Amino acid sequence: MDINMAEAKNPVLGQDFLTWLWFKSEKSGWLFKLPDGGEVNVYLEQKISVRGGEGDDAETATVSGPHAQFAEARLGVKSGKRVDRALIRFEQDGETWTVTVKADDFTLNALRTPKMETRSEEGEDPDAKVLEKLYLIEKCAGFFDALYTQFLNARLGQAWQGELSDFAEWLKEGV
């Protein structure tokens, strides 16, 4: 098997990222700094799945609800499970994106961009709406990339032990 293919099928890093994102968003007041100096609010909401074990022993728990507190998912994380799939909401400058992220392969599903005017004005470039939509999709992917970079910097840096300590405290607080 190709080493890149093997890494792509290893869900551990993706699960660690989504678990870290859940923890970090709550600990940081849902606010993250971006490399360009901007900020984005990040919420894990409405639906989250945690998975533990491998193969035939794998167990998954999915928690959903419009105002879910994810107590059962947090119990799953306490017992060793990790976030496997999450609905993430990004907010910036009054605009909202939602996307479901799958940890196994970082698939972005059900991406919703901010609403945009669909009617074209007379004389407007017919490609303008398509370009605006692509810009909004690219912006969401940029948020995701920036957060994943922050995770990798933390995960591979010397401050990781401190993150683990904060994570352990966060787990105690929530349930």
Side-chain angles (χ1 to χ4, degrees):
M1 178 181 281
D2 180 285
I3 189 78
N4 293 328
M5 182 65 99
E7 289 177 1
K9 291 187 179 243
N10 184 351
V12 174
L13 194 58
Q15 290 178 330
D16 282 354
F17 168 63
L18 291 178
T19 304
W20 173 86
L21 188 60
W22 180 19
F23 146 71
K24 201 67 175 178
S25 63
E26 286 193 14
K27 290 298 279 185
S28 68
W30 296 276
L31 187 64
F32 287 82
K33 298 269 185 206
L34 298 172
D36 66 0
E39 296 176 330
V40 63
N41 288 91
V42 180
Y43 306 92
L44 274 68
E45 61 178 31
Q46 294 186 11
K47 188 170 187 176
I48 193 168
S49 294
V50 293
R51 183 177 63 192
E54 294 179 20
D56 291 340
D57 296 329
E59 295 179 351
T60 301
T62 301
V63 180
S64 62
H67 303 290
Q69 296 298 312
F70 303 129
E72 290 182 36
R74 196 181 292 240
L75 281 172
V77 172
K78 270 186 165 180
S79 69
K81 293 179 176 71
R82 295 181 186 145
V83 177
D84 181 50
R85 185 181 306 224
L87 176 61
I88 300 172
R89 180 169 45 111
F90 298 109
E91 289 183 355
Q92 185 183 55
D93 300 330
E95 296 183 319
T96 302
W97 294 256
T98 60
V99 64
T100 300
V101 179
K102 188 176 170 189
D104 289 352
D105 55 8
F106 292 117
T107 305
L108 304 180
N109 293 308
L111 171 62
R112 289 189 179 181
T113 63
K115 290 184 180 183
M116 45 184 272
E117 181 63 45
T118 55
R119 292 186 192 174
S120 296
E121 299 290 325
E122 190 172 318
E124 186 177 13
D125 181 355
D127 296 333
K129 299 298 179 199
V130 172
L131 294 173
E132 183 179 354
K133 189 72 165 181
L134 290 173
Y135 167 76
L136 292 171
I137 292 169
E138 187 175 352
K139 197 165 182 178
C140 183
F143 296 149
F144 187 80
D145 289 346
L147 295 172
Y148 189 63
T149 299
Q150 288 181 28
F151 164 72
L152 288 177
N153 288 336
R155 181 70 178 91
L156 301 174
Q158 295 183 1
W160 186 245
Q161 290 303 318
E163 289 277 301
L164 290 176
S165 187
D166 292 346
F167 177 75
E169 287 182 31
W170 172 76
L171 273 180
K172 289 179 189 171
E173 294 170 2
V175 182

